[in-house]
Structure formats: structure tokens, C-alpha cells
Amino acid sequence: MEYFCYHRDRPGSRGLREELLEQHWSYMDRYEQELIARGPTFAADGETPTGSVHIVGLPDAAAVRAFAFDEPNYQAGAYRDVLVRRWRNVLGRTMWEYPGDPQDGNRYLVLGLGEGPAADLGLPADRDELIAYGPLLSDDGGSWLGTAVLLRAASPDAARAVLTADRYADIEVHDWDFGGRR
């Protein structure tokens, strides 16, 4: 099963995250085969970390919760909260299979939170800019709860436009970068 995890930083935790960077990467190295996408989100300045995205394929909810909550930054208190949802990989690939240049252009996490009838289950027209795309689902996979997208776009507004605005209670757009060891 595939899961979307978004660890949101606690304000003022940048130093702690920097101190734990090697521990974080070593922890993620253990999940190298299971990771679909990963990377930090940033404030509007493009430098201040605000969170970490991890999309991972694991056998069940217990395994993903262990993954999310045993992570060194979480254990040390760097994160204020963690969103964990079932997710479906509509693109059927990992971020490392993204055909574009991972350093080129602006990259974003678009997180649409909703309820009711599902929206945006099909791929948008400009698929070449998508890095990861899929619905957020309830634990049993039976209910649609939103959509999570990693993409390259010209601006935050262009990134937001990938989702049908009136179908979501809230749409968040965060600067995002490919994560992992360089």
C-alpha cells in the first residue's frame, strides 16, 4: 500500500533538523526501496524548512505509522504534527523516474484537503510537470480525503491551479525540493 506522510516543522526547529540531518538520512536509507518520493518543504524565502514529505509503499497502516513516528526528527521534537494518509500513485513511478531535470524550475507540494465525492482522480493535461500525483484516502482506502501533488510550475498560483479549487476545503501550496543525499 502507498502512503503520503507530511511532517510539519515546529517553529524554531531548523537547528535541530540540521543537527539530525545525517540521522534522518540514515533512517531514510533503510527505506530506500519503499520510497516513492521525498523532500523538504520551505517557507516563501526558499531557505527556511517548514516540513518533510515522504511518500512510501509499506504493507499496512502499522508499518507506515512506525515509519512516520520513529523518524529521528519526530522523536527529537522537530515536528509539530504529522499527516499520514493512504495514497494512490496515479503516475505509477517514483520521483527518481521523473523525466524532467530535478534542479530545473520551481517545485511545489500542492495539498488539497476535501471530503465527499472524489475530485481530480485523473491526471491534469500537463503531465510532464508532475513529479508525484494521487488521491489522499481514508485508512481503509474507501473514502477520498483530498489530493497530494508534487510538481514543477511557474509559480505558486500555477501550482495551485492543478487542482479544482471549489472541490477542496483548503489547498496548501509549499515550496518543495527533491530530497535525499546529493
Side-chain angles (χ1 to χ4, degrees):
M1 287 185 243
E2 298 157 332
Y3 294 90
F4 173 87
C5 303
Y6 185 39
H7 294 77
R8 295 177 193 267
D9 283 11
R10 183 177 307 285
S13 66
R14 183 177 188 170
L16 181 57
R17 280 189 57 161
E18 289 172 357
E19 178 183 322
L20 295 170
L21 186 60
E22 181 56 38
Q23 289 177 15
H24 168 76
W25 281 351
S26 293
Y27 181 81
M28 290 300 152
D29 288 348
R30 295 175 16 206
Y31 292 92
E32 181 179 0
Q33 296 302 311
E34 292 83 10
L35 283 165
I36 296 165
R38 66 184 283 196
T41 58
F42 296 94
D45 66 11
E47 293 185 20
T48 304
T50 59
S52 279
V53 172
H54 300 98
I55 303 175
V56 63
L58 291 169
D60 55 38
V64 76
R65 282 181 174 69
F67 166 81
F69 298 114
D70 289 345
E71 193 277 335
N73 287 320
Y74 180 82
Q75 288 292 309
Y79 299 130
R80 72 177 168 121
D81 60 64
V82 182
L83 173 68
V84 177
R85 292 284 184 264
R86 287 269 305 267
W87 186 76
R88 186 168 15 96
N89 188 353
V90 175
L91 294 173
R93 67 175 188 228
T94 70
M95 73 178 202
W96 297 275
E97 298 166 307
Y98 168 63
D101 181 346
Q103 300 301 315
D104 187 35
N106 303 316
R107 290 159 310 280
Y108 300 97
L109 161 65
V110 180
L111 189 56
L113 304 174
E115 63 181 351
D120 298 317
L121 294 179
L123 290 170
D126 196 0
R127 297 176 185 174
D128 292 343
E129 301 300 329
L130 299 176
I131 299 163
Y133 187 94
L136 298 169
L137 305 167
S138 60
D139 285 350
D140 67 1
S143 297
W144 175 85
L145 302 174
T147 306
V149 184
L150 298 173
L151 77 159
R152 185 175 68 173
S155 67
D157 288 340
R160 180 184 310 274
V162 77
L163 297 182
T164 307
D166 64 351
R167 292 292 298 118
Y168 296 88
D170 189 27
I171 297 177
E172 302 175 13
V173 178
H174 305 270
D175 287 357
W176 173 82
D177 200 2
F178 282 74
R181 299 180 191 275
R182 302 266 182 235

